[in-house]
PDB file of all heavy atoms in Angstrom:
ATOM      1  N   GLY A   1       4.202 -13.655   1.336  1.00 93.00           N
ATOM      2  CA  GLY A   1       4.564 -12.880   2.487  1.00 93.00           C
ATOM      3  C   GLY A   1       4.450 -11.381   2.262  1.00 93.00           C
ATOM      4  O   GLY A   1       4.817 -10.875   1.201  1.00 93.00           O
ATOM      5  N   THR A   2       3.842 -10.691   3.254  1.00 96.00           N
ATOM      6  CA  THR A   2       3.747  -9.242   3.172  1.00 96.00           C
ATOM      7  C   THR A   2       4.264  -8.600   4.456  1.00 96.00           C
ATOM      8  O   THR A   2       4.195  -9.231   5.539  1.00 96.00           O
ATOM      9  CB  THR A   2       2.270  -8.817   2.953  1.00 96.00           C
ATOM     10  OG1 THR A   2       1.468  -9.314   4.033  1.00 96.00           O
ATOM     11  CG2 THR A   2       1.743  -9.292   1.640  1.00 96.00           C
ATOM     12  N   PHE A   3       4.747  -7.369   4.278  1.00 96.00           N
ATOM     13  CA  PHE A   3       5.313  -6.624   5.397  1.00 96.00           C
ATOM     14  C   PHE A   3       4.891  -5.175   5.340  1.00 96.00           C
ATOM     15  O   PHE A   3       4.841  -4.664   4.200  1.00 96.00           O
ATOM     16  CB  PHE A   3       6.864  -6.787   5.419  1.00 96.00           C
ATOM     17  CG  PHE A   3       7.378  -8.144   5.452  1.00 96.00           C
ATOM     18  CD1 PHE A   3       7.574  -8.850   4.244  1.00 96.00           C
ATOM     19  CD2 PHE A   3       7.605  -8.801   6.643  1.00 96.00           C
ATOM     20  CE1 PHE A   3       8.052 -10.149   4.262  1.00 96.00           C
ATOM     21  CE2 PHE A   3       8.028 -10.121   6.650  1.00 96.00           C
ATOM     22  CZ  PHE A   3       8.250 -10.806   5.453  1.00 96.00           C
ATOM     23  N   TYR A   4       4.681  -4.560   6.468  1.00 97.00           N
ATOM     24  CA  TYR A   4       4.220  -3.166   6.498  1.00 97.00           C
ATOM     25  C   TYR A   4       5.009  -2.408   7.588  1.00 97.00           C
ATOM     26  O   TYR A   4       5.256  -2.872   8.665  1.00 97.00           O
ATOM     27  CB  TYR A   4       2.717  -3.148   6.806  1.00 97.00           C
ATOM     28  CG  TYR A   4       1.826  -3.812   5.798  1.00 97.00           C
ATOM     29  CD1 TYR A   4       1.450  -5.090   5.908  1.00 97.00           C
ATOM     30  CD2 TYR A   4       1.395  -3.073   4.698  1.00 97.00           C
ATOM     31  CE1 TYR A   4       0.630  -5.721   4.939  1.00 97.00           C
ATOM     32  CE2 TYR A   4       0.623  -3.673   3.706  1.00 97.00           C
ATOM     33  CZ  TYR A   4       0.250  -4.975   3.832  1.00 97.00           C
ATOM     34  OH  TYR A   4      -0.556  -5.579   2.865  1.00 97.00           O
ATOM     35  N   ALA A   5       5.199  -1.146   7.209  1.00 96.00           N
ATOM     36  CA  ALA A   5       5.766  -0.231   8.196  1.00 96.00           C
ATOM     37  C   ALA A   5       4.586   0.195   9.167  1.00 96.00           C
ATOM     38  O   ALA A   5       3.437   0.164   8.792  1.00 96.00           O
ATOM     39  CB  ALA A   5       6.315   1.045   7.476  1.00 96.00           C
ATOM     40  N   ASP A   6       4.979   0.558  10.388  1.00 94.00           N
ATOM     41  CA  ASP A   6       4.028   0.903  11.391  1.00 94.00           C
ATOM     42  C   ASP A   6       3.127   2.068  10.928  1.00 94.00           C
ATOM     43  O   ASP A   6       1.984   2.200  11.293  1.00 94.00           O
ATOM     44  CB  ASP A   6       4.662   1.235  12.710  1.00 94.00           C
ATOM     45  CG  ASP A   6       5.263   0.015  13.353  1.00 94.00           C
ATOM     46  OD1 ASP A   6       4.871  -1.151  13.034  1.00 94.00           O
ATOM     47  OD2 ASP A   6       6.093   0.209  14.249  1.00 94.00           O
ATOM     48  N   SER A   7       3.752   2.968  10.143  1.00 92.00           N
ATOM     49  CA  SER A   7       3.044   4.175   9.770  1.00 92.00           C
ATOM     50  C   SER A   7       1.810   3.926   8.816  1.00 92.00           C
ATOM     51  O   SER A   7       0.939   4.765   8.761  1.00 92.00           O
ATOM     52  CB  SER A   7       4.003   5.171   9.074  1.00 92.00           C
ATOM     53  OG  SER A   7       4.501   4.590   7.903  1.00 92.00           O
ATOM     54  N   VAL A   8       1.745   2.776   8.161  1.00 95.00           N
ATOM     55  CA  VAL A   8       0.719   2.447   7.265  1.00 95.00           C
ATOM     56  C   VAL A   8      -0.071   1.167   7.614  1.00 95.00           C
ATOM     57  O   VAL A   8      -1.035   0.856   6.926  1.00 95.00           O
ATOM     58  CB  VAL A   8       1.217   2.376   5.820  1.00 95.00           C
ATOM     59  CG1 VAL A   8       1.932   3.664   5.394  1.00 95.00           C
ATOM     60  CG2 VAL A   8       2.145   1.171   5.632  1.00 95.00           C
ATOM     61  N   LYS A   9       0.397   0.494   8.583  1.00 95.00           N
ATOM     62  CA  LYS A   9      -0.263  -0.752   8.967  1.00 95.00           C
ATOM     63  C   LYS A   9      -1.752  -0.533   9.284  1.00 95.00           C
ATOM     64  O   LYS A   9      -2.102   0.388  10.080  1.00 95.00           O
ATOM     65  CB  LYS A   9       0.410  -1.369  10.228  1.00 95.00           C
ATOM     66  CG  LYS A   9      -0.189  -2.693  10.723  1.00 95.00           C
ATOM     67  CD  LYS A   9       0.127  -3.838   9.734  1.00 95.00           C
ATOM     68  CE  LYS A   9      -0.361  -5.170  10.309  1.00 95.00           C
ATOM     69  NZ  LYS A   9      -0.071  -6.308   9.355  1.00 95.00           N
ATOM     70  N   GLY A  10      -2.624  -1.286   8.674  1.00 96.00           N
ATOM     71  CA  GLY A  10      -4.065  -1.164   8.894  1.00 96.00           C
ATOM     72  C   GLY A  10      -4.755  -0.220   7.906  1.00 96.00           C
ATOM     73  O   GLY A  10      -5.972  -0.260   7.817  1.00 96.00           O
ATOM     74  N   ARG A  11      -3.944   0.580   7.193  1.00 97.00           N
ATOM     75  CA  ARG A  11      -4.500   1.515   6.192  1.00 97.00           C
ATOM     76  C   ARG A  11      -4.127   1.114   4.784  1.00 97.00           C
ATOM     77  O   ARG A  11      -4.924   1.295   3.851  1.00 97.00           O
ATOM     78  CB  ARG A  11      -4.054   2.964   6.452  1.00 97.00           C
ATOM     79  CG  ARG A  11      -4.517   3.538   7.778  1.00 97.00           C
ATOM     80  CD  ARG A  11      -4.226   4.997   7.851  1.00 97.00           C
ATOM     81  NE  ARG A  11      -2.825   5.322   7.696  1.00 97.00           N
ATOM     82  CZ  ARG A  11      -2.292   6.129   6.780  1.00 97.00           C
ATOM     83  NH1 ARG A  11      -3.058   6.739   5.925  1.00 97.00           N
ATOM     84  NH2 ARG A  11      -0.969   6.399   6.735  1.00 97.00           N
ATOM     85  N   PHE A  12      -2.927   0.593   4.571  1.00 98.00           N
ATOM     86  CA  PHE A  12      -2.419   0.272   3.272  1.00 98.00           C
ATOM     87  C   PHE A  12      -2.382  -1.263   3.134  1.00 98.00           C
ATOM     88  O   PHE A  12      -2.078  -1.979   4.097  1.00 98.00           O
ATOM     89  CB  PHE A  12      -1.020   0.815   2.991  1.00 98.00           C
ATOM     90  CG  PHE A  12      -0.936   2.280   2.864  1.00 98.00           C
ATOM     91  CD1 PHE A  12      -2.007   3.127   3.181  1.00 98.00           C
ATOM     92  CD2 PHE A  12       0.228   2.912   2.426  1.00 98.00           C
ATOM     93  CE1 PHE A  12      -1.995   4.500   3.038  1.00 98.00           C
ATOM     94  CE2 PHE A  12       0.331   4.285   2.312  1.00 98.00           C
ATOM     95  CZ  PHE A  12      -0.763   5.069   2.614  1.00 98.00           C
ATOM     96  N   THR A  13      -2.645  -1.765   1.923  1.00 98.00           N
ATOM     97  CA  THR A  13      -2.618  -3.210   1.649  1.00 98.00           C
ATOM     98  C   THR A  13      -1.847  -3.438   0.348  1.00 98.00           C
ATOM     99  O   THR A  13      -2.182  -2.853  -0.690  1.00 98.00           O
ATOM    100  CB  THR A  13      -4.010  -3.803   1.584  1.00 98.00           C
ATOM    101  OG1 THR A  13      -4.704  -3.563   2.790  1.00 98.00           O
ATOM    102  CG2 THR A  13      -3.877  -5.302   1.327  1.00 98.00           C
ATOM    103  N   VAL A  14      -0.830  -4.317   0.349  1.00 98.00           N
ATOM    104  CA  VAL A  14      -0.111  -4.666  -0.830  1.00 98.00           C
ATOM    105  C   VAL A  14      -0.583  -6.007  -1.322  1.00 98.00           C
ATOM    106  O   VAL A  14      -0.805  -6.940  -0.515  1.00 98.00           O
ATOM    107  CB  VAL A  14       1.416  -4.619  -0.601  1.00 98.00           C
ATOM    108  CG1 VAL A  14       1.809  -5.648   0.432  1.00 98.00           C
ATOM    109  CG2 VAL A  14       2.159  -4.742  -1.885  1.00 98.00           C
ATOM    110  N   SER A  15      -0.757  -6.139  -2.656  1.00 97.00           N
ATOM    111  CA  SER A  15      -1.165  -7.416  -3.225  1.00 97.00           C
ATOM    112  C   SER A  15      -0.506  -7.517  -4.614  1.00 97.00           C
ATOM    113  O   SER A  15       0.130  -6.638  -5.096  1.00 97.00           O
ATOM    114  CB  SER A  15      -2.620  -7.504  -3.368  1.00 97.00           C
ATOM    115  OG  SER A  15      -3.201  -6.463  -4.161  1.00 97.00           O
ATOM    116  N   SER A  16      -0.703  -8.673  -5.258  1.00 96.00           N
ATOM    117  CA  SER A  16      -0.049  -8.952  -6.528  1.00 96.00           C
ATOM    118  C   SER A  16      -0.943  -9.767  -7.457  1.00 96.00           C
ATOM    119  O   SER A  16      -1.820 -10.510  -7.008  1.00 96.00           O
ATOM    120  CB  SER A  16       1.309  -9.646  -6.417  1.00 96.00           C
ATOM    121  OG  SER A  16       1.150 -10.923  -5.895  1.00 96.00           O
ATOM    122  N   ASP A  17      -0.769  -9.536  -8.780  1.00 95.00           N
ATOM    123  CA  ASP A  17      -1.337 -10.437  -9.825  1.00 95.00           C
ATOM    124  C   ASP A  17      -0.163 -10.975 -10.586  1.00 95.00           C
ATOM    125  O   ASP A  17       0.349 -10.315 -11.446  1.00 95.00           O
ATOM    126  CB  ASP A  17      -2.266  -9.619 -10.688  1.00 95.00           C
ATOM    127  CG  ASP A  17      -2.962 -10.434 -11.692  1.00 95.00           C
ATOM    128  OD1 ASP A  17      -2.508 -11.536 -12.051  1.00 95.00           O
ATOM    129  OD2 ASP A  17      -4.044 -10.041 -12.213  1.00 95.00           O
ATOM    130  N   ASN A  18       0.241 -12.167 -10.212  1.00 93.00           N
ATOM    131  CA  ASN A  18       1.472 -12.720 -10.731  1.00 93.00           C
ATOM    132  C   ASN A  18       1.351 -12.952 -12.282  1.00 93.00           C
ATOM    133  O   ASN A  18       2.337 -12.788 -12.991  1.00 93.00           O
ATOM    134  CB  ASN A  18       1.891 -14.010 -10.067  1.00 93.00           C
ATOM    135  CG  ASN A  18       2.344 -13.772  -8.639  1.00 93.00           C
ATOM    136  OD1 ASN A  18       2.447 -12.663  -8.157  1.00 93.00           O
ATOM    137  ND2 ASN A  18       2.662 -14.893  -7.928  1.00 93.00           N
ATOM    138  N   ALA A  19       0.200 -13.281 -12.726  1.00 93.00           N
ATOM    139  CA  ALA A  19       0.001 -13.540 -14.164  1.00 93.00           C
ATOM    140  C   ALA A  19       0.278 -12.274 -14.972  1.00 93.00           C
ATOM    141  O   ALA A  19       0.658 -12.390 -16.144  1.00 93.00           O
ATOM    142  CB  ALA A  19      -1.392 -14.102 -14.445  1.00 93.00           C
ATOM    143  N   LYS A  20      -0.013 -11.148 -14.387  1.00 96.00           N
ATOM    144  CA  LYS A  20       0.221  -9.879 -15.070  1.00 96.00           C
ATOM    145  C   LYS A  20       1.485  -9.161 -14.601  1.00 96.00           C
ATOM    146  O   LYS A  20       1.750  -8.030 -15.055  1.00 96.00           O
ATOM    147  CB  LYS A  20      -0.999  -8.918 -14.815  1.00 96.00           C
ATOM    148  CG  LYS A  20      -2.254  -9.486 -15.436  1.00 96.00           C
ATOM    149  CD  LYS A  20      -3.432  -8.432 -15.155  1.00 96.00           C
ATOM    150  CE  LYS A  20      -4.700  -8.968 -15.796  1.00 96.00           C
ATOM    151  NZ  LYS A  20      -5.832  -8.052 -15.597  1.00 96.00           N
ATOM    152  N   ASN A  21       2.279  -9.816 -13.757  1.00 97.00           N
ATOM    153  CA  ASN A  21       3.507  -9.249 -13.280  1.00 97.00           C
ATOM    154  C   ASN A  21       3.282  -7.899 -12.688  1.00 97.00           C
ATOM    155  O   ASN A  21       4.059  -6.956 -12.873  1.00 97.00           O
ATOM    156  CB  ASN A  21       4.548  -9.210 -14.359  1.00 97.00           C
ATOM    157  CG  ASN A  21       5.850  -9.872 -13.967  1.00 97.00           C
ATOM    158  OD1 ASN A  21       5.832 -10.959 -13.325  1.00 97.00           O
ATOM    159  ND2 ASN A  21       6.985  -9.310 -14.375  1.00 97.00           N
ATOM    160  N   THR A  22       2.234  -7.769 -11.882  1.00 97.00           N
ATOM    161  CA  THR A  22       1.741  -6.475 -11.359  1.00 97.00           C
ATOM    162  C   THR A  22       1.583  -6.561  -9.857  1.00 97.00           C
ATOM    163  O   THR A  22       0.986  -7.511  -9.316  1.00 97.00           O
ATOM    164  CB  THR A  22       0.493  -6.021 -12.016  1.00 97.00           C
ATOM    165  OG1 THR A  22       0.668  -5.863 -13.431  1.00 97.00           O
ATOM    166  CG2 THR A  22       0.058  -4.653 -11.493  1.00 97.00           C
ATOM    167  N   VAL A  23       1.970  -5.508  -9.156  1.00 98.00           N
ATOM    168  CA  VAL A  23       1.833  -5.353  -7.739  1.00 98.00           C
ATOM    169  C   VAL A  23       1.000  -4.122  -7.449  1.00 98.00           C
ATOM    170  O   VAL A  23       1.183  -3.096  -8.122  1.00 98.00           O
ATOM    171  CB  VAL A  23       3.150  -5.287  -6.972  1.00 98.00           C
ATOM    172  CG1 VAL A  23       2.987  -4.928  -5.486  1.00 98.00           C
ATOM    173  CG2 VAL A  23       3.902  -6.656  -7.087  1.00 98.00           C
ATOM    174  N   PHE A  24       0.106  -4.207  -6.446  1.00 98.00           N
ATOM    175  CA  PHE A  24      -0.796  -3.072  -6.153  1.00 98.00           C
ATOM    176  C   PHE A  24      -0.521  -2.599  -4.739  1.00 98.00           C
ATOM    177  O   PHE A  24      -0.077  -3.350  -3.863  1.00 98.00           O
ATOM    178  CB  PHE A  24      -2.222  -3.478  -6.297  1.00 98.00           C
ATOM    179  CG  PHE A  24      -2.556  -4.087  -7.628  1.00 98.00           C
ATOM    180  CD1 PHE A  24      -2.608  -5.455  -7.805  1.00 98.00           C
ATOM    181  CD2 PHE A  24      -2.892  -3.286  -8.685  1.00 98.00           C
ATOM    182  CE1 PHE A  24      -2.937  -6.003  -9.014  1.00 98.00           C
ATOM    183  CE2 PHE A  24      -3.247  -3.783  -9.913  1.00 98.00           C
ATOM    184  CZ  PHE A  24      -3.192  -5.173 -10.118  1.00 98.00           C
ATOM    185  N   LEU A  25      -0.832  -1.373  -4.517  1.00 98.00           N
ATOM    186  CA  LEU A  25      -0.854  -0.782  -3.168  1.00 98.00           C
ATOM    187  C   LEU A  25      -2.183  -0.063  -2.984  1.00 98.00           C
ATOM    188  O   LEU A  25      -2.391   1.011  -3.549  1.00 98.00           O
ATOM    189  CB  LEU A  25       0.321   0.194  -2.977  1.00 98.00           C
ATOM    190  CG  LEU A  25       0.403   0.749  -1.474  1.00 98.00           C
ATOM    191  CD1 LEU A  25       0.786  -0.410  -0.523  1.00 98.00           C
ATOM    192  CD2 LEU A  25       1.434   1.852  -1.399  1.00 98.00           C
ATOM    193  N   GLN A  26      -3.071  -0.682  -2.214  1.00 98.00           N
ATOM    194  CA  GLN A  26      -4.365  -0.045  -1.878  1.00 98.00           C
ATOM    195  C   GLN A  26      -4.160   0.833  -0.652  1.00 98.00           C
ATOM    196  O   GLN A  26      -3.724   0.336   0.379  1.00 98.00           O
ATOM    197  CB  GLN A  26      -5.378  -1.115  -1.559  1.00 98.00           C
ATOM    198  CG  GLN A  26      -6.743  -0.564  -1.191  1.00 98.00           C
ATOM    199  CD  GLN A  26      -7.433   0.161  -2.298  1.00 98.00           C
ATOM    200  OE1 GLN A  26      -7.483  -0.283  -3.470  1.00 98.00           O
ATOM    201  NE2 GLN A  26      -8.052   1.302  -1.976  1.00 98.00           N
ATOM    202  N   MET A  27      -4.468   2.098  -0.815  1.00 98.00           N
ATOM    203  CA  MET A  27      -4.268   3.115   0.274  1.00 98.00           C
ATOM    204  C   MET A  27      -5.637   3.643   0.668  1.00 98.00           C
ATOM    205  O   MET A  27      -6.339   4.261  -0.142  1.00 98.00           O
ATOM    206  CB  MET A  27      -3.354   4.205  -0.211  1.00 98.00           C
ATOM    207  CG  MET A  27      -2.003   3.703  -0.759  1.00 98.00           C
ATOM    208  SD  MET A  27      -0.887   5.115  -1.113  1.00 98.00           S
ATOM    209  CE  MET A  27      -1.798   5.914  -2.430  1.00 98.00           C
ATOM    210  N   ASN A  28      -5.998   3.409   1.882  1.00 98.00           N
ATOM    211  CA  ASN A  28      -7.271   3.930   2.477  1.00 98.00           C
ATOM    212  C   ASN A  28      -6.951   4.875   3.596  1.00 98.00           C
ATOM    213  O   ASN A  28      -5.849   4.950   4.158  1.00 98.00           O
ATOM    214  CB  ASN A  28      -8.051   2.729   2.998  1.00 98.00           C
ATOM    215  CG  ASN A  28      -8.429   1.772   1.943  1.00 98.00           C
ATOM    216  OD1 ASN A  28      -8.667   2.125   0.773  1.00 98.00           O
ATOM    217  ND2 ASN A  28      -8.494   0.456   2.330  1.00 98.00           N
ATOM    218  N   SER A  29      -8.009   5.621   4.004  1.00 98.00           N
ATOM    219  CA  SER A  29      -7.932   6.600   5.128  1.00 98.00           C
ATOM    220  C   SER A  29      -6.749   7.505   4.941  1.00 98.00           C
ATOM    221  O   SER A  29      -5.988   7.755   5.869  1.00 98.00           O
ATOM    222  CB  SER A  29      -7.897   5.891   6.436  1.00 98.00           C
ATOM    223  OG  SER A  29      -8.961   5.040   6.627  1.00 98.00           O
ATOM    224  N   LEU A  30      -6.549   8.059   3.760  1.00 98.00           N
ATOM    225  CA  LEU A  30      -5.406   8.859   3.443  1.00 98.00           C
ATOM    226  C   LEU A  30      -5.457  10.180   4.232  1.00 98.00           C
ATOM    227  O   LEU A  30      -6.476  10.779   4.460  1.00 98.00           O
ATOM    228  CB  LEU A  30      -5.285   9.146   1.960  1.00 98.00           C
ATOM    229  CG  LEU A  30      -4.874   7.996   1.146  1.00 98.00           C
ATOM    230  CD1 LEU A  30      -5.197   8.161  -0.346  1.00 98.00           C
ATOM    231  CD2 LEU A  30      -3.373   7.701   1.299  1.00 98.00           C
ATOM    232  N   MET A  31      -4.303  10.612   4.598  1.00 97.00           N
ATOM    233  CA  MET A  31      -4.042  11.845   5.429  1.00 97.00           C
ATOM    234  C   MET A  31      -3.107  12.786   4.634  1.00 97.00           C
ATOM    235  O   MET A  31      -2.330  12.320   3.819  1.00 97.00           O
ATOM    236  CB  MET A  31      -3.506  11.517   6.785  1.00 97.00           C
ATOM    237  CG  MET A  31      -4.323  10.590   7.591  1.00 97.00           C
ATOM    238  SD  MET A  31      -3.621  10.142   9.165  1.00 97.00           S
ATOM    239  CE  MET A  31      -2.269   9.108   8.611  1.00 97.00           C
ATOM    240  N   PRO A  32      -3.140  14.118   4.896  1.00 97.00           N
ATOM    241  CA  PRO A  32      -2.229  15.034   4.237  1.00 97.00           C
ATOM    242  C   PRO A  32      -0.770  14.613   4.365  1.00 97.00           C
ATOM    243  O   PRO A  32      -0.003  14.826   3.430  1.00 97.00           O
ATOM    244  CB  PRO A  32      -2.520  16.344   4.903  1.00 97.00           C
ATOM    245  CG  PRO A  32      -3.916  16.265   5.365  1.00 97.00           C
ATOM    246  CD  PRO A  32      -4.124  14.796   5.781  1.00 97.00           C
ATOM    247  N   GLU A  33      -0.387  14.041   5.452  1.00 96.00           N
ATOM    248  CA  GLU A  33       1.046  13.607   5.647  1.00 96.00           C
ATOM    249  C   GLU A  33       1.404  12.407   4.761  1.00 96.00           C
ATOM    250  O   GLU A  33       2.556  12.058   4.721  1.00 96.00           O
ATOM    251  CB  GLU A  33       1.346  13.296   7.099  1.00 96.00           C
ATOM    252  CG  GLU A  33       0.308  12.370   7.783  1.00 96.00           C
ATOM    253  CD  GLU A  33      -0.740  13.124   8.587  1.00 96.00           C
ATOM    254  OE1 GLU A  33      -1.332  14.116   8.023  1.00 96.00           O
ATOM    255  OE2 GLU A  33      -1.034  12.729   9.723  1.00 96.00           O
ATOM    256  N   ASP A  34       0.431  11.816   4.102  1.00 97.00           N
ATOM    257  CA  ASP A  34       0.769  10.776   3.133  1.00 97.00           C
ATOM    258  C   ASP A  34       1.173  11.326   1.757  1.00 97.00           C
ATOM    259  O   ASP A  34       1.595  10.535   0.898  1.00 97.00           O
ATOM    260  CB  ASP A  34      -0.484   9.861   2.923  1.00 97.00           C
ATOM    261  CG  ASP A  34      -0.850   9.011   4.172  1.00 97.00           C
ATOM    262  OD1 ASP A  34       0.101   8.503   4.815  1.00 97.00           O
ATOM    263  OD2 ASP A  34      -2.050   8.900   4.473  1.00 97.00           O
ATOM    264  N   SER A  35       1.029  12.598   1.581  1.00 98.00           N
ATOM    265  CA  SER A  35       1.440  13.245   0.298  1.00 98.00           C
ATOM    266  C   SER A  35       2.907  13.049   0.062  1.00 98.00           C
ATOM    267  O   SER A  35       3.756  13.351   0.877  1.00 98.00           O
ATOM    268  CB  SER A  35       1.082  14.713   0.305  1.00 98.00           C
ATOM    269  OG  SER A  35      -0.303  14.929   0.428  1.00 98.00           O
ATOM    270  N   ALA A  36       3.224  12.486  -1.116  1.00 98.00           N
ATOM    271  CA  ALA A  36       4.655  12.207  -1.459  1.00 98.00           C
ATOM    272  C   ALA A  36       4.667  11.655  -2.868  1.00 98.00           C
ATOM    273  O   ALA A  36       3.636  11.297  -3.446  1.00 98.00           O
ATOM    274  CB  ALA A  36       5.219  11.207  -0.499  1.00 98.00           C
ATOM    275  N   VAL A  37       5.860  11.418  -3.393  1.00 98.00           N
ATOM    276  CA  VAL A  37       6.056  10.629  -4.589  1.00 98.00           C
ATOM    277  C   VAL A  37       6.211   9.194  -4.160  1.00 98.00           C
ATOM    278  O   VAL A  37       7.043   8.872  -3.268  1.00 98.00           O
ATOM    279  CB  VAL A  37       7.280  11.118  -5.402  1.00 98.00           C
ATOM    280  CG1 VAL A  37       7.489  10.198  -6.588  1.00 98.00           C
ATOM    281  CG2 VAL A  37       7.111  12.540  -5.840  1.00 98.00           C
ATOM    282  N   TYR A  38       5.415   8.280  -4.688  1.00 98.00           N
ATOM    283  CA  TYR A  38       5.442   6.911  -4.365  1.00 98.00           C
ATOM    284  C   TYR A  38       6.201   6.095  -5.360  1.00 98.00           C
ATOM    285  O   TYR A  38       5.905   6.194  -6.592  1.00 98.00           O
ATOM    286  CB  TYR A  38       4.046   6.355  -4.162  1.00 98.00           C
ATOM    287  CG  TYR A  38       3.398   6.787  -2.885  1.00 98.00           C
ATOM    288  CD1 TYR A  38       3.047   8.123  -2.656  1.00 98.00           C
ATOM    289  CD2 TYR A  38       3.153   5.837  -1.854  1.00 98.00           C
ATOM    290  CE1 TYR A  38       2.473   8.553  -1.462  1.00 98.00           C
ATOM    291  CE2 TYR A  38       2.564   6.241  -0.685  1.00 98.00           C
ATOM    292  CZ  TYR A  38       2.244   7.553  -0.483  1.00 98.00           C
ATOM    293  OH  TYR A  38       1.684   7.979   0.721  1.00 98.00           O
TER     294      TYR A  38
END
């Protein structure tokens, strides 16, 4: 199951590699207002 805030829906994608205990956040079409500590 995945969930997205409206502000990033369609631009960001969350995925996981369970074998490596790792989660990813793919961020596309980045805008200056996306600047932040993540």
